[in-house]
Amino acid sequence: LDENVREIRFQRLKEYDYDEVKGVIVVFRNAFVTGFESIVYDCSIMYRPGGASVGSVWNPFRNAEQKLSQWNRPQHKASDSSSQRSVRVVSTDGLENVDMKSTKFYREAVLIASYWCYGYYHWTIECFLRLAMVRGFLLKHKEIQIVQYNPPAVGLILYYELLDIDPRRVIAYNGMNLYHFRNLIVPTATAGGRANGLAARQIRSLFRKNLPKFVPHLGNESVDVKVQIVLQQRGGRAGRGIVEHNELLKRMEEEFREENVRVYNSKIHDTFQLAEMHFNADILVGPHGAGLSNTLFMKQGSSLVEIMYLNGWQDPCHQITAEKLGLNYTRIMATAGDHNSPMTIDVDLVIQTIIPIVNQQKIRKQNIQ
């Protein structure tokens, strides 16, 4: 083999295969990472882990190898911590937003950052779940760091702790920076909008096992008779907030007065409250949005009722996650609205749809008791 070819090792994890995705861990030596699609380059090949992408917003293949191969060698020996290096690029076509004036150097890390993963759904379902494939290795080798975007909210570092991983091991990824790793481990990227079922179930199991360590007063299904219903409130500039939210809440409280109806709002509640509400929830009702990713805390056999915007392509990402977690899924269509606007709903239709779901959950809880 050419002495310039770097050693690359693959380990198949067939248990994580789904759809067209193959479970695999790739190990690189002397690897560079950059860009919003977290492209890995070892001066021999370029590796795109996969995951979500949007058309040609950032095309890693357009002249990228030419540019990446033009970096100057460092003028000094890199230390174990971040260090500054001089680099030059032949052209900036396709990489014009990458800051190549400095390189951040690290010894060993696991890369889970991928496209769009600064947003909650993508951060949680598409990136964070990849830790399931390497968690045992990370627990055994505590010197290994984790390359991931900063969480959308500071309190979400709790998720690492629920996996018994110290969040201080995380390297905050920025797609406009350049990173150099002596050894880099890359687990299979999650397909855009499609959770890895085994990884989701494994992480859910750890969340539910370890959450009582952080939230001591969780519900107990064996003695809790009431059906726990969580209504998510969404609003703000992101759109898809329900115009009739207050009316819907009032009707739910009236119709299900013998049950326990609660409202979750990410603008009001912290991560511990998020975890506690969804851990206890038998039924989650909410508009399409990242908050429905909180099904990751919900028990098998519980129910998700998603209110979907009327116009445009209706993203099935939360249905996919719910079904892979063993939740019962129901979709209710809004009467107006699209992905970027508020939604109007038929409140009567929503209530009538939820009634049999509440009855179903009553039977499930009775069987447990």
Side-chain angles (χ1 to χ4, degrees):
L1 292 176
D2 188 314
E3 62 180 7
N4 292 321
V5 176
R6 301 298 188 268
E7 179 183 352
I8 302 169
R9 290 172 288 169
F10 296 82
Q11 180 173 341
R12 279 286 275 125
L13 299 175
K14 292 184 179 181
E15 63 270 30
Y16 290 99
D17 288 359
Y18 72 104
D19 298 342
E20 79 283 9
V21 179
K22 302 300 181 186
V24 63
I25 291 176
V26 188
V27 182
F28 294 89
R29 291 181 180 174
N30 188 38
F32 294 89
V33 180
T34 193
F36 300 106
E37 294 190 4
S38 309
I39 302 303
V40 182
Y41 182 72
D42 73 343
C43 303
S44 175
I45 71 164
M46 189 181 301
Y47 178 70
R48 180 183 182 273
S53 65
V54 177
S56 59
V57 170
W58 192 78
N59 183 350
F61 303 108
R62 184 175 53 187
N63 297 327
E65 184 170 0
Q66 178 188 22
K67 286 184 281 292
L68 295 172
S69 65
Q70 296 300 316
W71 293 331
N72 287 335
R73 292 180 178 275
Q75 301 303 310
H76 61 277
K77 183 177 181 181
S79 64
D80 293 343
S81 58
S82 299
S83 60
Q84 303 298 309
R85 299 179 176 209
S86 297
V87 296
R88 61 185 175 87
V89 180
V90 172
S91 72
T92 58
D93 183 29
L95 290 172
E96 59 271 14
N97 292 321
V98 177
D99 179 9
M100 293 188 178
K101 294 181 180 179
S102 66
T103 301
K104 299 179 182 297
F105 178 80
Y106 300 92
R107 278 183 174 272
E108 297 175 304
V110 169
L111 173 66
I112 61 171
S114 62
Y115 200 83
W116 274 343
C117 286
Y118 46 81
Y120 182 61
Y121 167 80
H122 303 280
W123 187 90
T124 305
I125 302 300
E126 292 177 3
C127 286
F128 188 82
L129 292 187
R130 295 166 70 184
L131 290 175
M133 290 180 268
V134 293
R135 177 175 174 268
F137 180 79
L138 287 169
L139 294 181
K140 183 177 180 181
H141 300 278
K142 298 188 183 298
E143 74 280 6
I144 305 293
Q145 295 179 275
I146 300 166
V147 186
Q148 162 68 310
Y149 284 97
N150 274 330
V154 175
L156 293 176
I157 62 171
L158 170 67
Y159 289 13
Y160 292 105
E161 296 175 310
L162 291 174
L163 268 58
D164 301 311
I165 294 174
D166 188 339
R168 291 175 296 182
R169 295 169 66 176
V170 177
I171 300 168
Y173 187 73
N174 183 330
M176 292 187 290
N177 287 341
L178 175 65
Y179 300 82
H180 181 198
F181 300 93
R182 182 173 299 174
N183 292 294
L184 182 68
I185 301 164
V186 187
T188 294
T190 308
R194 286 176 286 148
N196 186 311
L198 176 59
R201 292 187 293 274
Q202 289 175 329
I203 296 298
R204 190 258 305 273
S205 178
L206 288 165
F207 276 12
R208 293 187 64 82
K209 174 186 175 182
N210 290 331
L211 187 61
K213 301 175 185 177
F214 299 88
V215 184
H217 303 295
L218 292 171
N220 185 340
E221 271 207 307
S222 63
V223 296
D224 190 2
V225 178
K226 292 185 177 181
V227 174
Q228 305 295 315
I229 307 171
V230 173
L231 172 64
Q232 288 193 355
Q233 182 176 19
R234 179 181 173 89
R237 297 179 181 179
R240 283 167 278 138
I242 297 175
V243 174
E244 299 86 356
H245 170 82
N246 291 337
E247 180 185 351
L248 176 60
L249 174 61
K250 182 179 179 181
R251 288 286 304 280
M252 289 177 65
E253 290 174 335
E254 292 172 351
E255 183 67 37
F256 308 117
R257 54 186 173 275
E258 295 182 0
E259 317 306 335
N260 187 19
V261 178
R262 305 170 70 185
V263 175
Y264 170 74
N265 186 327
S266 64
K267 306 296 183 184
I268 299 173
H269 298 105
D270 62 25
T271 304
F272 294 98
Q273 292 168 312
L274 175 161
E276 180 269 325
M277 284 189 189
H278 294 88
F279 178 97
N280 289 326
D282 299 304
I283 302 172
L284 172 60
V285 181
H288 177 87
L292 298 187
S293 307
N294 297 336
T295 51
L296 201 56
F297 284 94
M298 294 175 67
K299 62 186 80 71
Q300 183 174 351
S302 55
S303 298
L304 170 63
V305 179
E306 179 178 18
I307 300 175
M308 181 65 76
Y309 47 90
L310 181 65
N311 302 313
W313 177 65
Q314 284 128 19
D315 189 347
C317 59
H318 300 299
Q319 176 181 356
I320 291 170
T321 303
E323 291 176 347
K324 290 185 175 181
L325 287 171
L327 275 60
N328 301 298
Y329 176 83
T330 302
R331 177 181 292 184
I332 302 174
M333 298 304 301
T335 56
D338 57 33
H339 189 274
N340 297 311
S341 71
M343 296 190 294
T344 60
I345 62 171
D346 181 337
V347 175
D348 288 332
L349 173 63
V350 175
I351 295 298
Q352 292 305 311
T353 302
I354 296 175
I355 287 174
I357 298 173
V358 170
N359 292 334
Q360 179 188 45
Q361 288 298 324
K362 284 182 177 180
I363 294 173
R364 187 189 64 81
K365 292 174 75 74
Q366 288 170 359
N367 289 337
I368 292 174
Q369 293 166 1

